[in-house]
Amino acid sequence: GGAFGGVVTVGDISGENVLTRFPKLTFSADFRGIDLGRVTRTFDFGEMTGIVDGYVHDCELFRGTPVRFEARLQSVPTKGIKQALNVKAVNNLTILGTGGSASALDRGITRFIDHFTYSALGVEMTLADDRFLLRGLERRGNKELFLKGRLPFPIDIVNAQPGRAVSFRSMMDRLRAVDFSAASTGG
């Protein structure tokens, strides 16, 4: 089916004990050509533009909560579509990726900028046995990045602790810290 301007293919759906109090559901999904602008406008995550491909494989839900999955999200440079994001999106991505906020935005000239461009976005996520592992697929020098900024004002979102897993609960706490308010920030 189509979603956010792209194609989502769902497969391998299976369920166990579906009608009991402990239902288990497993599925996989692949997505291509998803328009980030449409996605971020829908969820008030902060504005982000660009096209992404990715997947969620072997996603296992127990009572509606993910207990296992492998996922990947990667930007696809597309002619005529700008890869950009606003300050709110930078902050929210930083919270999700590191648990902290984007302190770089309070310094120097970046205080006066409300949009940044990026050259690549790449994230890999794995959840198994309550261990959530987030990897950045981009690099700058020896740093692992979730998002690689572009000139003139490159904002990189760095994976501060590559290879270190956090509990799923910690990840859910980060998700709760994300600003989904519809009020515009700055600018």
Side-chain angles (χ1 to χ4, degrees):
F4 300 113
V7 178
V8 177
T9 313
V10 179
D12 302 330
I13 299 178
S14 68
E16 280 175 40
N17 309 321
V18 178
L19 300 177
T20 69
R21 286 175 45 218
F22 303 103
K24 190 172 116 179
L25 182 71
T26 308
F27 71 93
S28 288
D30 291 87
F31 43 92
R32 280 197 330 276
I34 302 293
D35 179 343
L36 278 178
R38 292 194 198 184
V39 176
T40 55
R41 278 194 297 278
T42 303
F43 296 105
D44 279 319
F45 181 80
E47 195 187 331
M48 211 167 163
T49 57
I51 300 294
V52 292
D53 288 354
Y55 60 76
V56 178
H57 286 167
D58 304 318
C59 183
E60 193 176 299
L61 300 174
F62 182 69
R63 299 178 82 176
T65 302
V67 289
R68 169 177 296 129
F69 62 76
E70 283 177 37
R72 177 186 278 245
L73 183 71
Q74 211 154 17
S75 57
V76 181
T78 306
K79 196 175 164 74
I81 297 191
K82 194 173 179 183
Q83 297 189 140
L85 69 169
N86 69 2
V87 169
K88 180 176 173 181
V90 170
N91 267 319
N92 284 337
L93 282 172
T94 304
I95 289 168
L96 285 177
T98 64
S101 64
S103 56
L105 299 178
D106 308 328
R107 290 201 293 272
I109 196 157
T110 56
R111 285 197 308 258
F112 307 110
I113 298 165
D114 58 2
H115 274 79
F116 299 92
T117 54
Y118 65 92
S119 61
L121 164 72
V123 183
E124 206 169 62
M125 294 158 278
T126 315
L127 173 66
D129 304 322
D130 195 41
R131 291 169 53 75
F132 187 85
L133 182 61
L134 207 50
R135 296 308 303 244
L137 300 175
E138 301 304 321
R139 294 277 178 281
R140 190 182 302 277
N142 58 1
K143 285 188 174 147
E144 182 177 302
L145 311 178
F146 300 122
L147 182 113
K148 188 172 189 174
R150 229 174 92 192
L151 293 170
F153 305 106
I155 284 279
D156 289 342
I157 299 179
V158 178
N159 188 355
Q161 298 174 309
R164 180 167 178 262
V166 297
S167 73
F168 188 65
R169 180 175 288 167
S170 301
M171 201 57 216
M172 293 314 290
D173 289 343
R174 289 183 190 181
L175 198 54
R176 278 189 279 275
V178 165
D179 178 7
F180 284 112
S181 66
S184 70
T185 50

